[in-house]
Amino acid sequence: MDFTLAEPIVQALIACIERSDTGYASAHNGLHTAFAGFAARRWGWDTVDSRSSICADVSVATVELLRLLTAPGSRVVISPPVYPPFRAWIKEAGAVVAEAPLQETEQGWRLNLDTIERAFSQGAVAYLLCNPHNPVGVAHTREELENLAALADKYGVIVISDEVHAPLVLTGSVFTPFLSLGPIATRRGIVLTAASKAWNVAGLKTALILTQDPMLDALHDRLPAETPWRTGHLGVIAATTAFASGELWLDTVREALDFNRQYLADLLSRHLPRARYRQPQAGYLAWIDSSELGWGDKVAASVLEQRRVALDDGIAFGAEGAGYLRLNFACSPDILDEAITRIAQYA
């Protein structure tokens, strides 16, 4: 996001530098407690008794967990269009990607539970859930997640829920942590979370792995012993500060994103009326259907070269993303205005 870093985080990092505290991260830190307080305040989710581990980021967590949960050739399900690295992480762990695409409805993109069940029934071991879902910006409903948990329990599938965009759920929408759903979900689920996206500290490299079931709790002891030491010490400091003291800044950012998602709709209506855009429920990423503009599926590089605006081609997120463009609107309205004006000139 193109926003100034939260002042409590700035001060915490400066204090670290001033006391020459730039060593290794420790597994014994206040991050779990800070996150537990945040989760309770924001979502009514009690994580005090959950087991947690720190790691460098969600990608490392996903790969290491899949190495523990799968054997070579095991099937791991994703629901495209989805964050492209999901595929790479599965392959890195030696597993095989299986797809259960989202379905586009009049209410937006939704989990297709029939397709997910079909994929689970074909021998899937794990499912990578993106909640809120990148790139479509959907916060999955409690009912959808409960049904997903029931299917995972029926077929013995572990749900690894990537919830890094959760703090950025916007006005009018509700985020439901997967592990807050009750015993079926806790028996089948692992949550991965971080301050990385919501507080703009991704480069400081810290994330949390959370479980709330004795069987899955045992996975923490099987993670590589070096996992916490590969985590960024400054990242732990930043994340702990974010969850404990960064909510005022977060709410200011959410207000800015609320405004920008609507402003983007207005800009597209004026400058690119044939583009189709549904305002996201969470995050700062716009999923724009450009198929009626006749630009094809791989236009982002050309737009960057000719109009100096960086976009992502939707096709990179799966075949279902053909004709879509992903745009980051976490910037000033003036920059957003300039970006859309330039993109319209490309047309």
Side-chain angles (χ1 to χ4, degrees), residues 317-338:
F317 298 80
E320 296 73 16
Y324 282 83
L325 294 167
R326 192 185 73 164
L327 178 146
N328 183 332
F329 59 82
C331 56
S332 71
D334 287 345
I335 290 177
L336 194 56
D337 195 340
E338 177 74 11

Side-chain angles (χ1 to χ4, degrees), residues 36-296:
F38 178 83
R41 291 189 300 273
R42 288 276 157 160
W43 309 312
W45 176 25
D46 182 2
T47 68
V48 173
D49 294 329
S50 62
R51 181 85 186 269
S52 71
S53 295
I54 59 169
C55 58
D57 53 33
V58 167
S59 65
V60 169
T62 302
V63 173
E64 295 299 347
L65 287 168
L66 288 177
R67 284 174 173 155
L68 296 177
L69 294 168
T70 66
S74 295
R75 294 166 62 85
V76 178
V77 181
I78 60 174
S79 291
V82 73
Y83 186 51
F86 274 22
R87 296 176 185 276
W89 301 344
I90 293 168
K91 293 175 182 177
E92 184 179 346
V96 175
V97 176
E99 295 190 1
L102 298 180
Q103 58 183 341
E104 191 172 13
T105 71
E106 292 183 359
Q107 291 74 41
W109 294 85
R110 310 303 327 176
L111 294 176
N112 188 330
L113 293 166
D114 291 337
T115 304
I116 289 172
E117 180 168 20
R118 190 175 307 118
F120 284 6
S121 69
Q122 294 171 350
V125 172
Y127 175 70
L128 296 191
L129 172 67
C130 197
N131 185 32
H133 197 103
N134 177 2
V136 300
V138 167
H140 304 301
T141 67
R142 174 173 289 273
E143 181 180 6
E144 287 174 317
L145 294 173
E146 287 175 340
N147 288 334
L148 173 63
L151 289 176
D153 201 46
K154 178 180 178 180
Y155 293 100
V157 172
I158 298 299
V159 176
I160 300 175
S161 185
D162 174 352
E163 300 183 359
V164 293
H165 287 275
L168 292 174
V169 167
L170 303 176
T171 302
S173 299
V174 176
F175 169 70
T176 303
F178 189 78
L179 292 181
S180 71
L181 296 170
I184 295 176
T186 57
R187 186 163 62 242
R188 305 310 318 174
I190 303 169
V191 159
L192 310 180
T193 191
S196 56
K197 302 299 183 182
W199 282 274
N200 234 27
V201 292
L204 297 183
K205 293 298 178 184
T206 295
L208 273 174
I209 302 170
L210 291 155
T211 56
Q212 290 185 286
D213 175 84
M215 293 294 291
L216 293 177
D217 288 350
L219 290 172
H220 295 272
D221 298 321
R222 296 173 58 201
L223 290 167
E226 289 293 309
T227 299
W229 305 110
R230 292 168 179 160
T231 305
H233 172 56
L234 295 182
V236 173
I237 298 297
T240 303
T241 304
F243 289 125
S245 307
E247 288 181 74
L248 179 61
W249 182 92
L250 176 66
D251 287 339
T252 300
V253 165
R254 290 172 62 244
E255 288 176 4
L257 297 180
D258 267 334
F259 177 86
N260 280 2
R261 63 175 174 167
Q262 177 60 58
Y263 188 51
L264 176 59
D266 297 340
L267 288 171
L268 290 171
S269 178
R270 292 203 307 270
H271 297 289
L272 288 167
R274 288 189 296 161
R276 190 164 61 97
Y277 160 67
R278 180 179 284 107
Q279 294 184 41
Q281 297 175 320
Y284 47 81
L285 301 168
W287 187 237
I288 302 168
D289 184 354
S290 66
S291 56
E292 292 299 316
L293 301 176
W295 292 351

